Amino acid sequence: MKTAYNRRRRAVTGAGSVYPTDGRWRGALVVTDPLTGQRSRRVVSARTEREAQEKLDELRAVTKPTTAMRTADWLAYWLPTTRAHVAPSTYRGYASVVKAITAQVGDIGLDRLTASDVERMTTAMQTAGRSPRTAAAARKVLRIALRQAIRDRLVTVNVAAIAKPPRVARYVPHPLTAGEARQLIDGTRDDDDGPLWALLVSTGLRLGEAAGLAWRDVTAGRLRVRQSLAPGWDGRATLGEPKSERSRRLVPLSKDAREALERQRARQDRLREAAGSAWQDRDDLVYTDAIGRPLRTKDAAERLHSATDRLKLPRCRIHDLRHSAASLMVAQGVPLTTVSRVLGHSTIAITFDTYSTLTEDVEQAAADAMDRALGSES
């Protein structure tokens, strides 16, 4: 059944797309002229999807870019090929950064681009008022694009990879203390968003994972993360895959998490009864608005700030509730490997890099325990 937040359609791998129309199949590909940079749309037609895909592959082969193109031309060719492999929000970020890159180094020949050009680009962006983080993102996207250019034998060196990155101040998470987390849970118990804040701070779920959570994935003692809610290609709320394969996971539920879900079910039952036939939820989502539509995540940070201000708690980002859950687990001696699985990090290295400093007290406690065990206490 189609809804206002349909699941993402599976994209065809590579640039272009294949789709049915009028009893036949068509393949469409946007082609960039390697010399002029002018873009045009090419279309092929066939009786079957497979034939259309084969024709599209042939078309792509004969329109392959060459080393004669400018950096801007390569980026224009490369960007559409990423659509099949990244989330819509990531693609939109790529597109925005590609504009910034093109404005700085777009006219330089792809095979003449140097590491110094990349460094001048990031410096110029910061001089023009862009943040170091944005400049670093431009270098990162260019590195990804040039990696594909190397694969296609258009260049031999990834100059963005060897260019010096901008100095970016590392973000330091500001997790809530155990007392502050307790105050947030208790102080928002009767708020509309209270069950959401309680679940986030007690499980470490990402906001999109909580917004995409369905009741069928909740049991008495745990929940299953198998989908996430995020803006789709059309900008509307769309249910899709989690952030990474390891994001698919089972998350154990604490007492606070279970109580939060019970309050949310009772609240949603009241809203459903009040809405009657106007109720719109088709995916049995846990968190919805007053008539069953997906949760509005865009203004969630503002709503959290309102709650923390009222409770006289430190302001924090939505993602800091996830950090709070992690720091509380680490403080209780939970191994980082377990924390990593609960949070759904793609690698243990991410967990270690983010939370290793929080383990110092726990590690000292382990050393103290060893002293007690061996009778070595001073």
Side-chain angles (χ1 to χ4, degrees):
M1 179 180 297
K2 294 184 178 180
T3 70
Y5 41 98
N6 289 327
R7 298 177 183 278
R8 302 181 188 123
R9 289 175 54 187
R10 183 178 180 182
V12 177
T13 302
S17 59
V18 173
Y19 53 91
T21 178
D22 299 328
R24 291 178 65 82
W25 285 83
R26 286 184 181 175
L29 177 68
V30 176
V31 177
T32 301
D33 188 297
L35 298 179
T36 67
Q38 185 174 357
R39 303 179 72 189
S40 60
R41 187 169 184 265
R42 307 281 182 85
V43 178
V44 297
S45 179
R47 292 177 301 173
T48 67
E49 180 181 10
R50 181 175 181 178
E51 290 176 358
Q53 184 62 59
E54 289 175 351
K55 287 187 176 182
L56 192 65
D57 291 341
E58 293 173 1
L59 178 61
R60 189 182 299 111
V62 299
T63 56
K64 185 176 180 179
T66 71
T67 54
M69 63 173 22
R70 303 173 305 154
T71 300
D73 301 329
W74 168 249
L75 291 173
Y77 176 89
W78 166 80
L79 183 61
T81 71
T82 68
R83 285 182 66 102
H85 310 289
V86 300
S89 58
T90 302
Y91 181 83
R92 283 189 282 268
Y94 281 1
S96 176
V97 170
V98 161
K99 289 182 181 179
I101 298 172
T102 299
Q104 296 293 335
V105 298
D107 288 334
I108 301 175
L110 182 64
D111 60 344
R112 297 196 306 275
L113 187 68
T114 66
S116 294
D117 292 327
V118 178
E119 291 167 3
R120 283 193 291 270
M121 173 191 76
T122 56
T123 299
M125 290 178 65
Q126 294 176 82
T127 302
R130 297 293 188 98
S131 70
R133 192 172 298 277
T134 300
R139 172 181 170 271
K140 177 181 177 181
V141 170
L142 183 56
R143 187 180 74 229
I144 296 171
L146 291 179
R147 190 162 59 205
Q148 184 168 324
I150 290 175
R151 187 197 68 183
D152 290 350
R153 299 181 181 180
L154 299 176
V155 294
T156 58
V157 178
N158 192 327
V159 295
I162 61 177
K164 295 178 181 178
R167 186 183 294 255
V168 179
R170 181 176 177 179
Y171 174 77
V172 179
H174 298 286
L176 299 176
T177 65
E180 290 167 344
R182 181 78 268 157
Q183 188 177 348
L184 177 65
I185 293 173
D186 293 342
T188 60
R189 186 172 296 274
D190 298 324
D191 295 357
D192 288 344
D193 288 315
L196 175 63
W197 309 144
L199 187 74
L200 293 178
V201 80
S202 60
T203 63
L205 289 184
R206 301 177 178 92
L207 178 59
E209 293 170 345
L213 183 64
W215 283 114
R216 63 181 174 277
D217 294 320
V218 177
T219 64
R222 62 186 183 180
L223 60 80
R224 181 185 298 276
V225 177
R226 62 177 182 84
Q227 60 188 18
S228 182
L229 189 75
W233 293 109
D234 58 1
R236 295 184 299 174
T238 304
L239 285 172
E241 298 294 322
K243 186 175 182 179
S244 67
E245 187 58 36
R246 284 197 62 180
S247 294
R248 292 176 173 274
R249 63 196 189 278
L250 292 174
V251 178
L253 297 176
S254 64
K255 180 181 178 182
D256 283 309
R258 294 195 301 271
E259 290 180 350
L261 289 167
E262 289 171 1
R263 293 200 308 276
Q264 177 60 16
R265 186 181 287 278
R267 172 181 174 274
Q268 195 177 71
D269 287 343
R270 292 193 298 270
L271 292 174
R272 185 185 293 105
E273 183 177 358
S277 60
W279 188 256
Q280 297 184 29
D281 186 15
R282 299 293 184 273
D283 287 300
D284 197 29
L285 297 178
V286 172
Y287 294 101
T288 62
D289 69 5
I291 57 173
R293 293 175 301 191
L295 186 71
R296 283 182 57 86
T297 58
K298 189 175 182 180
D299 55 2
E302 183 179 336
R303 303 200 305 270
L304 177 61
H305 289 163
S306 296
T308 54
D309 289 349
R310 174 171 58 84
L311 297 172
K312 294 182 172 50
L313 290 171
R315 277 201 169 192
C316 61
R317 308 177 309 163
I318 293 286
H319 207 67
D320 284 329
L321 298 183
R322 178 171 163 85
H323 289 312
S324 300
S327 64
L328 292 173
M329 283 187 278
V330 171
Q332 293 301 311
V334 178
L336 283 181
T337 52
T338 302
V339 174
S340 182
R341 287 196 298 271
V342 172
L343 295 181
H345 281 161
S346 57
T347 66
I348 183 63
I350 294 175
T351 317
F352 186 83
D353 185 53
T354 307
Y355 301 112
S356 59
T357 57
L358 299 177
T359 66
E360 293 175 359
D361 291 342
V362 176
E363 291 167 352
Q364 182 58 49
D368 295 341
M370 182 61 70
D371 285 338
R372 292 192 296 273
L374 298 176
S376 304
E377 293 179 288
S378 56

